[in-house]
Amino acid sequence: MSMMSRIQSKLWRSFLLPKRCKLFSSSTNPKPPLFPEELNIIFDSKCNICKLEMDFLSRRDARRAGSSVRKLRLTDIESEDYDPNDPSNGGVSYEKGMATIHAVTADGRVIEGVPVFGKAYTLVGLGWLFKFTEWPMMKPLVRWGYDFFAKYRTNVTRGTSLDDLIKAHNAKKMLKKGEDQTEECSRCNNLRQ
C-alpha cells in the first residue's frame, strides 16, 4: 500500500467515516415537520400588494407541484382562525406579522423581511430573481427599501396606519372575548334554572 493510499485511508477512517455514521445513527431522532409544505408564509390578505404577490406565488407553486405536495403554505394573518400559538405560525403575533412579512419553515424556524421573499421565490423556481438581494452592496439597500415600504404599507394599501389596525384588532379580540364570556354565563344561568 502506497503512502498516499495509507493517508487517504486514515483520513477516511478518522474524519469522514465517524461523521457519516453519526448522520445515519439511530440515536438521532429528528423532529417531524410542522406541516407538509416547506414554508408557511404569514401575510396580510387585506393588503392588495401582498395578496397579489401571494396569489402569484401560489399559482406558480401549484403549476410546479402538479399532483405532488406544494412547497408553500399561505396563512392569512387577518383570518378569524389565525392563531399565533399554533406552532406552524411560529408565535408570530398580529403586531409582528403586520409590521413585516414572516414565514415559518417546516422545522419551525421563523424568518422575516426580505429573506422570506428570497426563500419563497427559490421554492417556486424563481430564486434567481432575488439573488441580487444578497450581494454585499445591495443587501443593506434592499433591506432599507423593504423596511421603508413595510413601515408605510398599511397607510398606502389599506388607508390607515399600522397602529390603528393593531388597536382595532385588539378591540375586536376583547369584544369577542367578552361575547364568549357572556355566552358562557348564559349557559351557566340556563343550567341553574
Side-chain angles (χ1 to χ4, degrees):
M1 187 185 246
S2 74
M3 188 165 159
M4 189 60 139
S5 297
R6 280 185 285 183
I7 291 172
Q8 287 175 335
S9 177
K10 199 173 218 178
L11 281 172
W12 173 256
R13 283 192 312 272
S14 62
F15 294 108
L16 300 175
L17 193 57
K19 289 178 186 173
R20 187 172 174 203
C21 290
K22 277 184 182 177
L23 286 175
F24 298 105
S25 167
S26 61
S27 65
T28 59
N29 193 5
K31 278 188 348 187
L34 295 173
F35 40 83
E37 301 85 358
E38 292 184 39
L39 189 68
N40 178 21
I41 303 174
I42 300 165
F43 76 104
D44 173 12
S45 67
K46 293 182 180 176
C47 164
N48 291 333
I49 294 171
C50 307
K51 181 86 170 96
L52 186 69
E53 186 154 22
M54 293 306 120
D55 287 346
F56 168 75
L57 286 168
S58 180
R59 282 191 310 273
R60 175 82 181 179
D61 189 25
R63 195 172 335 135
R64 284 180 53 92
S67 60
S68 64
V69 175
R70 290 183 175 196
K71 304 270 186 195
L72 301 178
R73 169 185 279 203
L74 304 178
T75 300
D76 179 10
I77 199 162
E78 284 287 1
S79 169
E80 293 289 326
D81 301 334
Y82 181 76
D83 180 8
N85 298 318
D86 180 342
S88 66
N89 293 332
V92 176
S93 67
Y94 182 82
E95 294 81 2
K96 281 183 180 179
M98 290 296 285
T100 186
I101 194 164
H102 284 71
V104 182
T105 60
D107 64 3
R109 288 180 298 115
V110 177
I111 54 179
E112 66 179 277
V114 176
V116 172
F117 298 107
K119 179 81 170 159
Y121 274 77
T122 297
L123 289 172
V124 299
L126 296 173
W128 56 272
L129 287 172
F130 274 82
K131 286 291 183 206
F132 79 95
T133 66
E134 294 301 318
W135 295 349
M137 298 274 298
M138 294 301 292
K139 193 173 190 173
L141 186 62
V142 169
R143 307 262 165 152
W144 177 85
Y146 175 76
D147 291 344
F148 182 81
F149 167 75
K151 183 176 181 178
Y152 298 105
R153 173 186 67 84
T154 60
N155 295 45
V156 173
T157 63
R158 297 186 57 180
T160 189
S161 72
L162 179 58
D163 289 337
D164 288 344
L165 286 172
I166 291 169
K167 286 176 190 171
H169 175 77
N170 290 339
K172 188 176 173 183
K173 251 184 4 185
M174 292 302 289
L175 185 62
K176 175 116 173 87
K177 192 175 185 180
E179 287 173 358
D180 290 347
Q181 287 176 345
T182 302
E183 187 178 308
E184 208 171 292
C185 289
S186 296
R187 275 190 254 141
C188 291
N189 288 336
N190 289 339
L191 290 174
R192 288 184 193 145
Q193 293 175 356

